[in-house]
Amino acid sequence: MSRTLGRDCGFKLVFQFLFSKNFAINDYLNDCEFSEEEKDFALTIYKSVETNLDSLNTKLLSNLKNDLKLTDLYSLDYAILLITMAQIDYLNIPKDISINEAVRLAKKYSTDKSSSFVNGVLSSIYN
């Protein structure tokens, strides 16, 4: 199993969830060419964000600088921050691994400045 692939899929699920609470999760997972273990990991990440969204938002909001609001965040960065916080806080995945993977996701899917932004926010929360 590749946790990287599962994390990637989990990120996409959370990103979709942020736009529409009524999207077809199982349809998306069935279309993925991942192993069942990777799909299970993705679903675990997604469910941990969905279940704990309010507490994740509170924690994130209290660590944003310059009076930023959640609505000011770029949606891709917001999804990356949520899955990373959920992995650390609820799935007991080591913070160094989770933050490194968050930076990788930001480099892959977001803007040129996103990886340093994501790393900075997560570092302020967990250091």
Side-chain angles (χ1 to χ4, degrees), residues 40-90:
D40 288 343
F41 185 57
L43 195 55
T44 299
I45 291 171
Y46 167 78
K47 286 182 179 179
S48 69
V49 170
E50 180 188 38
T51 303
N52 300 293
L53 185 60
D54 290 339
S55 62
L56 291 169
N57 281 337
T58 300
K59 187 173 191 173
L60 179 57
L61 191 56
S62 69
N63 284 280
L64 292 176
K65 300 198 183 331
N66 301 326
D67 296 324
L68 282 175
K69 300 177 191 111
L70 296 177
T71 55
D72 296 330
L73 298 178
Y74 186 49
S75 297
L76 292 168
D77 297 347
Y78 179 43
I80 293 168
L81 291 167
L82 289 174
I83 70 160
T84 304
M85 293 168 60
Q87 288 175 83
I88 295 168
D89 293 351
Y90 303 106

Side-chain angles (χ1 to χ4, degrees), residues 10-119:
F11 157 72
K12 291 174 184 175
L13 288 172
V14 169
F15 184 71
Q16 289 181 33
F17 169 72
L18 293 175
F19 286 101
S20 172
K21 307 293 189 240
N22 298 319
F23 73 99
I25 297 169
N26 289 329
D27 288 346
Y28 176 77
L29 289 174
N30 290 334
D31 289 342
C32 289
E33 295 182 14
F34 299 139
S35 71
E36 287 305 311
E37 289 177 82
E38 291 160 344
K39 290 178 185 180
D40 288 343
F41 185 57
L43 195 55
T44 299
I45 291 171
Y46 167 78
K47 286 182 179 179
S48 69
V49 170
E50 180 188 38
T51 303
N52 300 293
L53 185 60
D54 290 339
S55 62
L56 291 169
N57 281 337
T58 300
K59 187 173 191 173
L60 179 57
L61 191 56
S62 69
N63 284 280
L64 292 176
K65 300 198 183 331
N66 301 326
D67 296 324
L68 282 175
K69 300 177 191 111
L70 296 177
T71 55
D72 296 330
L73 298 178
Y74 186 49
S75 297
L76 292 168
D77 297 347
Y78 179 43
I80 293 168
L81 291 167
L82 289 174
I83 70 160
T84 304
M85 293 168 60
Q87 288 175 83
I88 295 168
D89 293 351
Y90 303 106
L91 303 178
N92 299 316
I93 296 175
K95 71 176 182 174
D96 292 343
I97 292 170
S98 297
I99 292 172
N100 285 340
E101 287 293 313
V103 170
R104 183 194 63 76
L105 285 170
K107 286 180 180 178
K108 182 175 180 180
Y109 291 109
S110 202
T111 68
D112 292 338
K113 295 180 181 182
S114 290
S115 60
S116 60
F117 173 76
V118 165
N119 189 43

